[in-house]
Amino acid sequence: MNSQLLTVLLLPLLGVSGSWGQGQDPQGPLEDLPKEPLGEEVPKEDGVLVLSGRTLSLALQEHPALLVEFYAPWCGHCQALAPEYSKAATLLAAESAPVTLAKVDGPAEPELMEEFGVTEYPTLKFFRDGNRTHPEEYTGPREAEGITEWLRRRVGPSATHLKDEEGTQALIDAWDVVVIGFFQDLQDEDVATFLALARDAVDITFGLTDQPQLFQKFGLTKDTVVLFKKFDEGRADFPMDKETGLDLGDLSRFLVVHSMHLVTEFNQQTSPKIYAARILNHLLLFVNQTLAPHQELLASFREAAPPFRGQVLFVVVDVAANNDHVLQYFGLKAEEAPTLRLVNTETTKKYAPTDGGPVTAASVAAFCHSVFRGEIKPYLLSQELPLDWDQRPVKILVGKNFEQVAFDESKNVFVKFYAPWCSHCKEMAPAWEALAERYRDHEDIIIAELDATANELEAFAVHGFPTLKYFPAGPGRKVIEYKSARDLETFSQFLDAGGELPVKEPTEKPETPFLEPPANSTLGPKEEL
């Protein structure tokens, strides 16, 4: 969990072309396009249509609701999705749902990739009524039931129409969380907004009603969205303002906040909701759930949570579970539990209690208030400085020595900011080592590297990997970002010119330096998300 994870981990719960393919000019619905030979049969694999540039038009003609996955055989995320995608196709076929799943091998069909603006794998697009020009981007889950439910809500109703008390109570009793829209007029524009949200929030069950007896049963006098839940306070109401109408963003945030427990345990299932809640402040209690004294702290943590609902998300992290990445992000070790940390997901600033006292409801609340009043300063991560940090040609920088070395007015310092998992960093490593070897006898030049996943800097944040920055000698703390070719000779030209490259007349369109993207970025057609 680093800025990337917070950012990675900050995925929305609710849904957030290029040139023509095949030499066609597809305007409007498919009926206006040349037809493919009707005798050709589209192959299937594990219940999923296997499409090509030739057979896509045929599939659009035959299937009015078609979900298409653009994948790459080498993509690990595509491989993980494949069994879930096939299972979804089987589930939909078993219930005779009027929707079909298909896939396209992206690298084998570059014209389709260009036509549909596919820039990452896997990308899924939903086609309705043969319309080739305006498919809907798939924004749902990547497990079989989630895919199935996302599609069900597009080819069928997204909310159950409730007409009596018995049916309403049965729906509420059947699920942990149920959202019901109470509307006096089902033709109101707010109903369309409500149903649009219900189409995408596939992990919540929705109903709607206009029945006066149901308004009376639940104590309502005006249009209201009510969230019923089998935990915490049991119910949360979202009254609607007739003058301003129902705001989709406000309602979606309300549902995400109130569909979560006051205190949420961090795990693989809950993490998407945690990061989608759009609550900027996350308060984490690190405990070892195998120890009774640690378990006793949970009641105090929960007691402190209600006044902060919507402002602070309370999260429990079990250090005895598989949460090492969370510990690493906060610079913690398991033996430091129990302890608190607060992070602002917008600024990525992290805060730790300063008193070291026990975790109580009062101390938890006091910690939050101290952070909000600016009484506690954020802390920055840093690895320990190795004793031999300056013994190799490439010098090792960490948070603790970065300022001293990078902004040394007598040195020109060229720094590679990298991530240990970054493949592009690994590819350029030999050139970086060779550069350091070439300039090791230049007393005024330092070639260095810093692991930006384990060290944070006050001067600036590092978002892409590798990032290369040059800190020229002299006053003013000047920083020059290097954005050219990553080879030994170009690096050398840059250094010899004092942080500049000679201007040349371009003979072809220059290439953008390729950065290792944070999770869920959309850089380049060969990214795995």
Side-chain angles (χ1 to χ4, degrees), residues 150-225:
W150 191 91
L151 291 168
R152 287 192 193 109
R153 296 192 186 190
R154 276 154 177 75
V155 299
S158 58
T160 302
H161 189 183
L162 302 168
K163 298 182 179 180
D164 53 43
E165 293 186 15
E166 182 181 359
T168 303
Q169 195 60 51
L171 185 68
I172 294 171
D173 292 341
W175 303 94
D176 286 343
V177 176
V178 173
V179 175
I180 298 178
F182 293 83
F183 299 93
Q184 294 171 341
D185 180 7
L186 292 184
Q187 303 306 313
D188 193 291
E189 290 183 2
D190 287 343
V191 176
T193 302
F194 177 80
L195 293 175
L197 187 148
R199 287 200 320 162
D200 287 322
V202 296
D203 60 340
I204 297 177
T205 299
F206 288 80
L208 80 165
T209 185
D210 61 351
Q211 298 299 305
Q213 70 271 25
L214 293 177
F215 274 75
Q216 183 177 358
K217 174 179 173 59
F218 293 102
L220 302 173
T221 58
K222 65 176 186 177
D223 288 6
T224 305
V225 175

Side-chain angles (χ1 to χ4, degrees), residues 471-485:
F471 303 83
R477 295 171 62 90
K478 188 176 180 181
V479 182
I480 299 171
E481 186 157 0
Y482 179 88
K483 293 186 176 181
S484 191

Side-chain angles (χ1 to χ4, degrees), residues 91-309:
L91 291 171
L92 291 165
E95 60 191 55
S96 300
V99 62
T100 303
L101 270 59
K103 61 182 180 180
V104 170
D105 182 340
E109 301 291 341
E111 291 183 348
L112 291 182
M113 295 285 290
E114 183 177 8
E115 177 183 351
F116 296 111
V118 176
T119 58
E120 58 191 6
Y121 297 119
T123 288
L124 290 84
K125 294 180 181 287
F126 183 55
F127 297 83
R128 294 299 301 264
D129 302 319
N131 189 324
R132 186 177 184 127
T133 58
H134 295 92
E136 179 183 0
E137 201 77 19
Y138 177 82
T139 57
R142 292 191 179 180
E143 43 81 25
E145 187 51 51
I147 296 169
T148 303
E149 186 62 25
W150 191 91
L151 291 168
R152 287 192 193 109
R153 296 192 186 190
R154 276 154 177 75
V155 299
S158 58
T160 302
H161 189 183
L162 302 168
K163 298 182 179 180
D164 53 43
E165 293 186 15
E166 182 181 359
T168 303
Q169 195 60 51
L171 185 68
I172 294 171
D173 292 341
W175 303 94
D176 286 343
V177 176
V178 173
V179 175
I180 298 178
F182 293 83
F183 299 93
Q184 294 171 341
D185 180 7
L186 292 184
Q187 303 306 313
D188 193 291
E189 290 183 2
D190 287 343
V191 176
T193 302
F194 177 80
L195 293 175
L197 187 148
R199 287 200 320 162
D200 287 322
V202 296
D203 60 340
I204 297 177
T205 299
F206 288 80
L208 80 165
T209 185
D210 61 351
Q211 298 299 305
Q213 70 271 25
L214 293 177
F215 274 75
Q216 183 177 358
K217 174 179 173 59
F218 293 102
L220 302 173
T221 58
K222 65 176 186 177
D223 288 6
T224 305
V225 175
V226 180
L227 185 148
F228 298 93
K229 51 187 174 180
K230 294 179 180 177
F231 51 87
D232 294 340
E233 67 272 36
R235 169 177 168 173
D237 289 14
F238 186 88
M240 284 174 254
D241 188 326
K242 276 299 180 184
E243 292 186 5
T244 60
L246 182 59
D247 183 84
L248 182 63
D250 289 345
L251 178 59
S252 65
R253 183 179 185 276
F254 168 83
L255 296 184
V256 172
V257 169
H258 287 277
S259 65
M260 299 182 67
H261 291 251
L262 268 171
V263 176
T264 304
E265 181 168 353
F266 184 90
N267 55 45
Q268 187 175 1
Q269 289 70 42
T270 61
S271 60
K273 273 197 170 185
I274 289 171
Y275 301 118
R278 286 166 284 172
I279 297 174
L280 296 183
N281 301 295
H282 292 188
L283 179 65
L284 293 84
L285 172 63
F286 292 85
V287 293
N288 187 327
Q289 295 267 38
T290 65
L291 302 178
H294 286 212
Q295 294 176 7
E296 293 171 1
L297 300 176
L298 300 180
S300 296
F301 192 60
R302 177 181 296 278
E303 183 182 343
F308 294 97
R309 186 188 275 282

